[in-house]
Amino acid sequence: MNSLVRQFFTVSEKDEMQYKEVLFLGENTNITWEEISKRAPDLIRGWFELSRISPLDRVEFTRDYWLDRLPYHPVAHPLFYEFFDQLDDVAVVLTRQNDEALAPELVYSLEDNSCFFRGKPPCSEEDLLEMKNEIGISLPRDYLAFNRIHSGFGKLSEMGILSVGEIGDAKRRILEMIIRSERHLKSGKNNGTRVDPGSLIPFYEAMGLSSFQCFYADWYPGSEMGNVYLSGIDYTISDTRSWADSLAFPTFMEWLAYYLEGMNVSP
């Protein structure tokens, strides 16, 4: 496991933002499922079993799980292989900030010590149905499949990919932001066409930029919605006519592969 992971999860009483307790489950082999499930009720039994095998086996098992659960995509799948080939571990980490229960996540550690990614537990089918009822539209199948792996996912300290429970609130914040600005949302720069902000469903938030990656209900480059970058700085979305250069993607899978490669969140 790379040193950035260790540094991030370091327990320090001097730093109030640090975790009060951190448990690397794979390094605590004496803990039983009965013991830890009481302290971490959101821990999945499969994640516990994952923590019982070697780091390299965890990487291989998790890679195969991703590729089995996600719909095949000829561009994205080879890039997922490349991503997992760069990992030295997929660790099960439990954390506690106050007096609440331990919260589980998977930590994807890059072997070159450059970065790591973090994923929260998957959502339930009830969570997906509740989200669909709230936003009133069916989202792409590949995105829904990913939420059955992780509902909430991010890089380093930022959990940029929203959990399904956060999407409704993020959509409302986008509408409020545009209303307060009294500016028209447009597609592309240089006097682009006007865009209905209600057609955007955010799934990723660029922290500190008031910007989002959103499914765009008025753009179907294939059988399902594509996704675009919404800039909260100039109130534009990606120009879908030149999507390769403006962070517009025909599928969630292509966006995800780009994100795992270390994308720059602003075009």
Side-chain angles (χ1 to χ4, degrees), residues 90-160:
V90 178
V92 183
V93 183
L94 305 175
T95 60
R96 181 176 61 82
Q97 288 186 314
N98 296 303
D99 295 327
E100 72 276 12
L102 288 165
E105 56 186 72
L106 289 189
V107 178
Y108 297 74
S109 166
L110 270 68
E111 187 174 20
D112 66 2
N113 211 45
S114 63
C115 188
F116 61 89
F117 292 81
R118 304 159 54 217
K120 294 181 179 180
C123 65
S124 66
E125 295 303 314
E126 290 77 12
D127 293 332
L128 292 176
L129 180 59
E130 184 177 340
M131 176 191 65
K132 180 180 178 181
N133 291 337
E134 182 177 9
I135 65 175
I137 191 171
S138 296
L139 296 181
R141 290 182 303 111
D142 55 357
Y143 169 74
L144 299 179
F146 182 74
N147 276 276
R148 295 182 177 99
I149 301 173
H150 291 298
S151 184
F153 187 84
K155 180 169 60 175
L156 301 174
S157 63
E158 295 185 353
M159 198 65 70

Side-chain angles (χ1 to χ4, degrees), residues 25-33 35 48 52:
L25 200 51
E27 299 173 3
N28 291 265
T29 56
N30 293 327
I31 297 178
T32 66
W33 167 249
E35 292 171 332
F48 175 79
R52 305 295 92 178

Side-chain angles (χ1 to χ4, degrees), residues 71-95:
Y72 176 74
H73 191 286
V75 173
H77 268 59
L79 296 176
F80 293 153
Y81 270 105
E82 291 181 14
F83 171 71
F84 279 95
D85 283 345
Q86 298 176 60
L87 301 181
D88 62 7
D89 198 357
V90 178
V92 183
V93 183
L94 305 175
T95 60

